[in-house]
Amino acid sequence: MHILITGAAGNIGTRLRKLLKGAYPRIRLSDVRSPTDLRSDEEFIAVDLADYEKVKKITEGIDGIVHLGGHARRGSWDTIHKSNIIGCYNLFEAAYRSGVKRVVFASSNHVVGFYPRERKIGVDVTVRPDSRYGVSKAFGEAVGALYADKHGLRVTCIRIGSVKDKPIDQRRLSIWIKPEDLAQLVRIGLEHPDIRFEIFYGSSNNEAGWWDNSNARRFGYHPEFRSEDFRAEAMAAQAKLPPDPIGDRFQGGSFCSDEYDADRKW
Ligand SMILES: NC(=O)c1ccc[n+]([C@@H]2O[C@H](COP(=O)([O-])OP(=O)(O)OC[C@H]3O[C@@H](n4cnc5c(N)ncnc54)[C@H](O)[C@@H]3O)[C@@H](O)[C@H]2O)c1
């Protein structure tokens, strides 16, 4: 398979391109900025996802795309609109026109950020985004479903929790995913013969988890890392953080409290 990774210069892209290299000898990298650690044997093409013609070019001859590119945090509507709405649409449209067979889309837990922490949710709940960023990821999932159902693209959306080597606070004990486990999910999306349109939660084996990830397990996902192994460290870090009465209630954390005024008196 010839793979394209968008957002290849970012945090996850930098980790994934190394983790996936053994499995896929041919990987094309793209981002709006160049990776700082690009090696001479790696193919990199700088492209802004908002430019359809250029996005079309980088998808040509590709079998599977890992779509990480985009604005990866809260942001203004202009920024989110350009990178995550127009950019994401361009990516799926170009993939379809170029005959790409599979797309793995980096969705986010912020698609469902306004579910309370005491509620365990699966992949079939109504989206409850906690930010313009979360809305853009819900849009990406919807575009993915359209191209899967209408045009036969095989699409996997991974609602990624928090990608780090270890969970860094209490919330991350519930949503953490180690890069190696994420690479396992990405490979399922790129290779499993029964994928049409699927949503997985991007989390490791987290005892404190809020998500029913049985859909991913159905496709053979066996996360190897446990957030509980880092509990003491994560809770010590949590103790140094200021309380966040709204953020601490909801799964999306500070994305929920940011700009929050739903309790105001009319
Ligand atoms: N890191 C996490 O824990 C996490 C959690 C949930 C979802 N995600 C999603 O995973 C993906 C990767 O996240 P990350 O942590 O590596 O973020 P990142 O910001 O480090 O990387 C994103 C990359 O996308 C590129 N990009 C932004 N706008 C672009 C555009 N218009 N055209 C081309 N490239 C553009 C940036 O230059 C950057 O290198 C993102 O889509 C993010 O929303 C990440």
Side-chain angles (χ1 to χ4, degrees):
M1 284 179 91
H2 196 177
I3 303 299
L4 165 69
I5 302 179
T6 69
N11 294 321
I12 298 181
T14 300
R15 299 297 295 266
L16 272 190
R17 63 184 230 259
K18 288 165 191 150
L19 289 166
L20 296 177
K21 202 169 172 52
Y24 311 106
R26 299 178 72 202
I27 300 182
R28 178 179 296 164
L29 308 173
S30 182
D31 199 297
V32 73
R33 61 189 169 114
S34 189
T36 48
D37 58 347
L38 195 68
R39 294 198 334 224
S40 56
D41 62 341
E42 288 183 301
E43 180 191 12
F44 172 76
I45 307 174
V47 161
D48 187 331
L49 289 160
D51 183 336
Y52 176 76
E53 293 309 324
K54 289 196 176 143
V55 177
K56 173 73 175 52
K57 277 231 151 5
I58 56 166
T59 58
E60 283 164 11
I62 291 294
D63 302 301
I65 300 176
V66 184
H67 182 41
L68 306 172
H71 189 73
R73 53 199 69 83
R74 282 163 282 184
S76 70
W77 173 240
D78 275 356
T79 309
I80 298 279
H81 183 245
K82 179 169 169 260
S83 293
N84 296 16
I85 303 287
I86 296 174
C88 183
Y89 180 80
N90 284 348
L91 189 281
F92 276 103
E93 171 68 8
Y96 164 51
R97 299 286 167 196
S98 296
V100 175
K101 296 171 200 75
R102 292 179 183 250
V103 175
V104 177
F105 170 56
S107 183
S108 167
N109 65 91
H110 295 291
V111 162
V112 288
F114 262 119
Y115 280 94
R117 294 189 180 191
E118 57 276 12
R119 170 115 179 247
K120 187 138 188 161
I121 56 172
V123 294
D124 50 356
V125 294
T126 306
V127 295
R128 300 293 290 273
D130 58 23
S131 49
R132 288 176 288 276
Y133 168 73
V135 168
S136 75
K137 293 296 183 180
F139 171 83
E141 291 185 1
V143 175
L146 173 67
Y147 280 86
D149 292 336
K150 187 159 282 201
H151 302 301
L153 219 68
R154 293 173 185 266
V155 177
T156 304
C157 302
I158 307 177
R159 289 182 181 165
I160 301 171
S162 169
V163 182
K164 298 211 176 299
D165 281 320
K166 47 189 181 176
I168 55 166
D169 57 24
Q170 184 171 14
R171 177 171 169 266
R172 278 17 180 267
L173 287 171
S174 300
I175 69 165
W176 172 68
I177 182 164
K178 174 111 169 150
E180 285 79 355
D181 282 341
L182 181 61
Q184 198 192 129
L185 282 173
V186 167
R187 290 197 60 184
I188 291 170
L190 289 174
E191 293 176 35
H192 199 290
D194 299 333
I195 298 275
R196 171 61 67 191
F197 175 78
E198 298 298 337
I199 297 176
F200 301 154
Y201 282 103
S203 62
S204 282
N205 187 4
N206 302 335
E207 224 169 280
W210 301 316
W211 307 322
D212 170 1
N213 213 10
S214 49
N215 197 39
R217 289 178 184 271
R218 201 163 64 85
F219 285 88
Y221 178 49
H222 286 292
E224 287 178 28
F225 298 91
R226 290 165 19 99
S227 64
E228 283 307 304
D229 295 340
F230 303 95
R231 174 166 284 278
E233 233 178 294
M235 292 310 284
Q238 180 68 38
K240 295 186 186 137
L241 296 175
D244 178 354
I246 299 301
D248 292 345
R249 262 167 54 198
F250 297 107
Q251 298 188 4
S254 62
F255 278 55
C256 296
S257 45
D258 182 44
E259 299 181 41
Y260 181 92
D261 59 3
D263 296 335
R264 72 189 185 284
K265 300 275 176 281
W266 290 92

